[in-house]
Amino acid sequence: MGVRLLLAVGPGAVAAVPFGLLLLLVEGAWPPLLRLDAGAARRLHEVALEHPGWTATLRFLSDWLWDPATLRIAVALLTGWLLYRRAWRLAAWAATTAIGGALIGVLVKVVVERARPSLQDPVAEAPGYSFPSGHAMTATTSCAVLLLVLLPLVPRRWRGLCWAAAGISVLGVGFTRIALGVHWFSDVIGGWLLGGAVVVLTGWAFEAWRSDAGRPRTDVSEGLEPELTDEEPEPQVYGTESGSRDR
């Protein structure tokens, strides 16, 4: 198992490469990126000032529906349900992805120390450093956890809608943070990339865990643990298959 888990680090490292490149551009204050950030912030801020009703809607979405606390509570409730179902490995994966992603995001923010946009007549404020966007990163990891865990419980004809809802939520979170003037465009991209890298790393580690337990690899469209629909999601004997369907 140790070898398989070590091999899982490879895909995670590859997935982190785009974030690393973006981080270098941010730290190096690459002029084209700074112009893109400033232009997006200026144009969206003008729209926010001209349409207060639209701005209030964005604030509600960002501060309540898609707030990191809301998403983390959803993942915590899901983890508790998985423990109740005795899906121990899946519960561990959900908790590790959510907590690990949050800690990594905070660590990068502290290291980079990027200032948030400073706009005249701001429509919203946020504490702390700017890069990467914690909202965008939390949305990426949380939506991935919810989606990959619950897919086996969703009829196939509705799975496309679930993927669309997750994608809209992740993109919507990023847009609200830029439109409200509390993050640069590159902050949001950084949050998406870093969150995606965390999910890839933990997802591959989970697949290695499944393989060590004697279970077959799964397609992402089936979720991480198709056996979640079974009466006994976990193998009764480590390394053997129990209560799962042939797929």
Side-chain angles (χ1 to χ4, degrees):
M1 179 177 178
V3 174
R4 294 193 184 100
L5 289 177
L6 182 61
L7 292 175
V9 175
V14 172
V17 169
F19 173 78
L21 294 176
L22 178 61
L23 176 59
L24 290 176
L25 296 179
V26 169
E27 287 283 72
W30 191 46
L33 182 63
L34 297 182
R35 288 195 294 271
L36 176 62
D37 281 339
R42 183 181 64 255
R43 287 191 292 271
L44 289 174
H45 186 58
E46 291 172 354
V47 173
L49 290 174
E50 294 171 0
H51 301 86
W54 167 248
T55 303
T57 301
L58 294 181
R59 269 201 297 263
F60 169 77
L61 292 172
S62 182
D63 296 343
W64 294 98
L65 182 61
W66 289 328
D67 184 74
T70 303
L71 295 174
R72 287 167 185 157
I73 289 173
V75 172
L77 292 174
L78 177 65
T79 303
W81 177 77
L82 291 172
L83 292 173
Y84 172 77
R85 289 278 288 115
R86 298 180 182 275
W88 314 117
R89 293 176 302 156
L90 203 54
W93 174 78
T96 299
T97 302
I99 296 173
L103 293 177
I104 291 172
V106 171
L107 177 62
V108 175
K109 278 179 178 286
V110 171
V111 171
V112 177
E113 294 185 337
R114 189 185 199 189
R116 292 180 184 270
S118 179
L119 303 170
Q120 187 174 6
D121 299 323
V123 298
E125 295 181 355
Y129 297 117
S130 192
F131 183 88
S133 166
H135 277 67
M137 186 173 179
T138 301
T140 302
T141 55
S142 298
C143 287
V145 168
L146 295 170
L147 183 67
L148 295 177
V149 168
L150 296 176
L151 271 182
L153 306 177
V154 178
R156 290 184 181 276
R157 65 180 179 276
W158 296 109
R159 290 181 183 179
L161 184 61
C162 293
W163 281 98
I168 290 172
S169 296
V170 172
L171 294 175
V173 168
F175 176 77
T176 63
R177 302 309 283 170
I178 303 170
L180 290 173
V182 292
H183 275 295
W184 302 108
F185 175 78
S186 55
D187 296 336
V188 169
I189 298 299
W192 288 339
L193 292 175
L194 188 56
V198 170
V199 172
V200 170
L201 174 60
T202 61
W204 274 82
F206 184 83
E207 282 293 336
W209 204 353
R210 275 181 60 86
S211 179
D212 194 64
R215 287 190 162 169
R217 295 186 63 85
T218 61
D219 187 272
V220 69
S221 64
E222 298 291 328
L224 282 185
E225 191 86 282
E227 295 83 4
L228 184 61
T229 57
D230 295 341
E231 186 175 346
E232 293 288 340
E234 295 284 339
Q236 292 181 0
V237 180
Y238 190 72
T240 64
E241 198 60 30
S242 174
S244 63
R245 292 185 294 270
D246 292 334
R247 290 180 182 266

